Amino acid sequence: MRRGPSPFLVAMVAAGLVFLYAPIALLILYSFNASQLVTVWGGTSLRWYAALAHDEQMLDAVSVSLRVGLISASLATGLGLLAAVALVRGGRFRGRTAFSGMVYAPLVMPEVILGLALLLLFVSLKLPRGFWTVTAGHATVTLCYATVVIQARLAGFDRSLEEAAQDLGLSPARAFLAVTLPNIAPAVAAAWMLAFTLSLDDLVIASFTSGPGATTLPMRLYSQVRLGVNPEINAVSTLLIGVVAAGVVAAFLIQQGKTKT
Amino acid sequence: MTHDPLIPAKAGTQAEPAAKRKGRLGSRLRGNERGKNNLAVLAPYLWLALFFALPFALVAKLSFSHSALAIPPYAPRLDLSHGLTGLADFLRGLDLATYRRLASDRLYLLAYLSSLGFAGLSTAILLVIGYPMAYGIARCRPRLRQALVLAVILPFWTSFLIRIYAWIAVLKPAGLLNQALHLIGLPSVTLLDTNAGVVLGLVYAYLPFMVLPLYAVLERQDESLIEAAQDLGLTPRRAFWRVTVPLSAPGVAAGVLLSFIPMVGEFVVPDLMGGSRTLMLGRTIWTEFFADRDWPAASAVAMVLLATLVVPLVLVQRRRAALLP
């Protein structure tokens, strides 16, 4: 029988959650503030959202970020699926240690180092920096997250189902697509979402690998934040938080629902 | 393809020809499939070699170069149009000058030490806050537990930059915190643009990294061990310190590594919440690169940072199983 948490632990959990959420809640609240002053309440208003709709630079940055996110997340998920298959089922292939090292290192590697390294690569390859270099950078960094998520699910998948499909005459590739993939689909979807959000969120890698004409949303926000707090940033941030929160909760529910059945 | 030792080619001795053929076919399929799985590795392997391994070799190379007034701003440059003499000239041009320059400048040493200091202090605070949180969540009913875990994960997914930005409005001199303090008659505090602000920002940003691995270990812990300890006469408090804490060591190690390593190289927090005199290596690399255009110095700092983090990074590799909640 599991004992419930003591009052001290309840207080700590509550305080921790307040600590995590209070600044975000205030940011959302003040995005509806009518006043120009970000810390003085001047009544409710949607004026900053309206202003956003006319901010060409901001809209442009949003569009760049969304496109980078879509492409890099798809690349990362595809490569991550292959990497997960290799790590779970490949046995001891040549170079496995180096491979898993490369897959996992970006999880904790300081972003500044990764960004610098990628930039030096693009410079020495004489690639013009811009949309595609940011996309490649993001795909590389998010690849490891995608691999970890898919790998966990694939390792728990009962392989005999796939073998049964093969005994019934499907080729290994078709058996994988018809039996295994639908079963690990929630993890693949979650991996894609994680990669997409991380890409949408990244400032450091993008700053190093981007060039003229490819300013992502975080880069735009960063340059504005450096100038000071402004209510329009609150409005953009609120929208971004809303989209991400909805996506995360949906992904979480999908995974929970699947594991219960 | 050699025979897979895990799969017996032939089961039993009563091998009539058909079954024998089938058995061989089966093992050949398995062999082929393993080959396919090895092929699966090819695409991600090549990708990572190009976009991960090669770039690090370039950072290493550049750290032995000199900065120059050119585009790109460093020398020597590898010129293969002269064949081997080009390569020889290039290799002769590399030296340790940049590292010597870093070693002789006190600012770099200070940035290095203060990075480790900030990360170490913040990790300690994270452990003190994160452990009771994780333990509390692990003790809740399953449904509530899931909701609480989601609540801890959610900020991790929400933009890092936005979460730090949110603190700026709270901590500004005339910000919300000081307004609240004023209302209840307390003196105002200055946290933004101070070192204390950086620690606050780091603790805030990395709290999920500490709570989740701790939770993963504590949630799996067998409650009956505590009961046994108490039956043997330990007070609940002693049982906690003698049983629960030692058994959660892998989670503690994971949480410490997962937060400490990225914090050492953190850029956004010291840049936005720290003062102009806050020194951290992530910021140093950024400034060397973008403001001073000293690419060799940025690379050398990155190499030093990497060398410092190699041991914890290898530990992470080893303990991966415990890291993933």
Side-chain angles (χ1 to χ4, degrees):
Chain A
M1 186 63 211
R2 191 176 280 269
R3 290 169 306 154
S6 65
F8 168 70
L9 293 179
V10 172
M12 282 305 287
V13 173
L17 290 179
V18 169
F19 176 58
L20 281 176
Y21 282 95
I24 302 177
L26 287 169
L27 176 135
I28 294 174
L29 178 68
Y30 275 83
S31 76
F32 298 106
N33 186 6
S35 166
Q36 173 85 50
L37 297 163
V38 275
T39 49
V40 179
W41 187 252
T44 323
S45 149
L46 287 174
R47 67 183 275 208
W48 304 113
Y49 291 88
L52 209 57
H54 299 290
D55 188 336
E56 291 292 335
Q57 283 181 310
M58 194 68 92
L59 292 177
D60 193 46
V62 169
S63 133
V64 169
S65 269
L66 288 178
R67 282 181 293 143
V68 168
L70 284 172
I71 300 174
S72 69
S74 306
L75 265 173
T77 310
L79 291 168
L81 180 61
L82 292 174
V85 169
L87 286 173
V88 173
R89 297 180 173 181
R92 309 213 147 267
F93 57 87
R94 197 180 286 266
R96 184 191 165 99
T97 316
F99 181 66
S100 68
M102 286 198 295
V103 167
Y104 291 106
L107 278 173
V108 279
M109 185 78 72
E111 287 178 315
V112 177
I113 300 184
L114 280 170
L116 179 67
L118 282 163
L119 174 109
L120 295 179
L121 172 78
F122 297 135
V123 168
S124 48
L125 292 178
K126 299 200 171 66
L127 286 174
R129 273 174 285 148
F131 181 83
W132 289 105
T133 49
V134 178
T135 307
H138 281 180
T140 310
V141 180
T142 54
L143 163 61
C144 58
Y145 288 89
T147 308
V148 168
V149 172
I150 298 173
Q151 190 189 6
R153 182 87 183 191
L154 192 61
F157 173 69
D158 183 0
R159 229 185 139 184
S160 55
L161 287 173
E162 193 180 319
E163 279 159 13
Q166 286 188 40
D167 286 349
L168 292 173
L170 261 63
S171 69
R174 292 206 50 176
F176 183 82
L177 290 178
V179 178
T180 311
L181 199 56
N183 263 284
I184 60 167
V188 176
W192 190 91
M193 295 231 9
L194 180 56
F196 180 73
T197 348
L198 288 169
S199 163
L200 209 58
D201 184 30
D202 166 74
L203 165 73
V204 176
I205 308 279
S207 298
F208 275 100
T209 54
S210 177
T215 305
T216 63
L217 182 59
M219 289 167 70
R220 178 95 205 121
L221 286 177
Y222 175 69
S223 64
Q224 297 232 319
V225 169
R226 298 216 61 174
L227 299 176
V229 180
N230 103 37
E232 213 183 300
I233 306 181
N234 286 21
V236 177
S237 305
T238 302
L239 290 177
L240 197 58
I241 291 171
V243 170
V244 169
V248 172
V249 173
F252 189 79
L253 291 178
I254 293 171
Q255 281 209 303
Q256 290 299 319
K258 281 282 176 177
T259 36
K260 260 177 212 147
T261 51
Chain B
M1 179 74 38
T2 51
H3 205 79
D4 193 332
L6 291 173
I7 304 148
K10 194 172 64 166
T13 44
Q14 74 281 52
E16 66 246 271
K20 201 173 178 182
R21 213 182 308 127
K22 201 180 169 208
R24 224 184 286 130
L25 190 68
S27 73
R28 215 185 64 224
L29 272 179
R30 282 297 193 114
N32 267 342
E33 196 190 338
R34 177 141 297 181
K36 288 228 173 64
N37 287 336
N38 287 351
L39 277 182
V41 81
L42 212 59
Y45 211 133
L46 288 177
W47 180 279
L48 286 170
L50 175 62
F51 289 109
F52 190 74
L54 181 60
F56 277 94
L58 291 170
V59 174
K61 183 211 90 176
L62 193 55
S63 70
F64 297 109
S65 309
H66 313 265
S67 62
L69 283 174
I71 298 171
Y74 55 83
R77 310 210 56 212
L78 182 54
D79 183 6
L80 285 176
S81 58
H82 299 293
L84 279 179
T85 46
L87 182 64
D89 283 345
F90 168 74
L91 288 176
R92 228 172 292 130
L94 298 177
D95 56 33
L96 286 168
T98 308
Y99 288 97
R100 256 181 252 123
R101 186 152 53 91
L102 296 194
S104 64
D105 194 333
R106 262 188 78 237
L107 221 54
Y108 290 106
L109 183 66
L110 281 177
Y112 181 77
L113 293 177
S114 81
S115 282
L116 293 179
F118 275 121
L121 177 61
S122 306
T123 306
I125 297 175
L126 275 173
L127 198 56
V128 172
I129 302 178
Y131 200 100
M133 273 185 79
Y135 195 43
I137 295 175
R139 284 287 183 91
C140 287
R141 281 172 287 111
R143 285 199 72 84
L144 182 60
R145 226 181 320 167
Q146 279 178 3
L148 289 172
V149 168
L150 181 62
V152 173
I153 292 176
L154 203 53
F156 162 75
W157 289 62
T158 311
S159 173
F160 197 89
L161 182 62
I162 290 175
R163 286 189 293 143
I164 297 304
Y165 164 76
W167 272 105
I168 298 179
V170 174
L171 296 181
K172 272 168 36 131
L176 300 167
L177 177 65
N178 280 335
Q179 286 180 21
L181 289 175
H182 184 75
L183 272 183
I184 52 174
L186 289 172
S188 59
V189 290
T190 313
L191 281 171
L192 197 62
D193 300 338
T194 65
N195 287 347
V198 175
V199 173
L200 175 74
L202 288 173
V203 168
Y204 179 70
Y206 287 91
L207 187 56
F209 289 76
M210 182 61 89
V211 174
L212 291 175
L214 281 173
Y215 165 78
V217 172
L218 288 168
E219 192 256 340
R220 268 183 260 147
Q221 212 165 74
D222 189 352
E223 193 80 0
S224 56
L225 290 173
I226 298 279
E227 281 162 21
Q230 292 188 15
D231 287 349
L232 292 172
L234 261 64
T235 60
R237 181 183 297 258
R238 288 196 56 130
F240 171 77
W241 287 108
R242 299 283 295 273
V243 179
T244 309
V245 171
L247 283 175
S248 66
V252 173
V256 165
L257 290 172
L258 280 185
S259 45
F260 180 81
I261 299 173
M263 280 199 289
V264 175
E266 180 53 47
F267 164 73
V268 175
V269 174
D271 194 58
L272 291 179
M273 295 184 80
S276 53
R277 285 188 303 161
T278 302
L279 289 170
M280 279 186 82
L281 286 181
R283 207 179 181 190
T284 308
I285 295 177
W286 184 283
T287 317
E288 291 298 349
F289 191 86
F290 286 108
D292 303 345
R293 284 189 67 75
D294 190 345
W295 292 15
S299 303
V301 175
M303 289 306 288
V304 172
L305 183 53
L306 261 184
T308 310
L309 296 179
V310 148
V311 173
L313 279 171
V314 170
L315 281 176
V316 169
Q317 291 281 338
R318 293 267 168 80
R319 298 177 156 272
R320 224 162 37 225
L323 294 181
L324 305 169

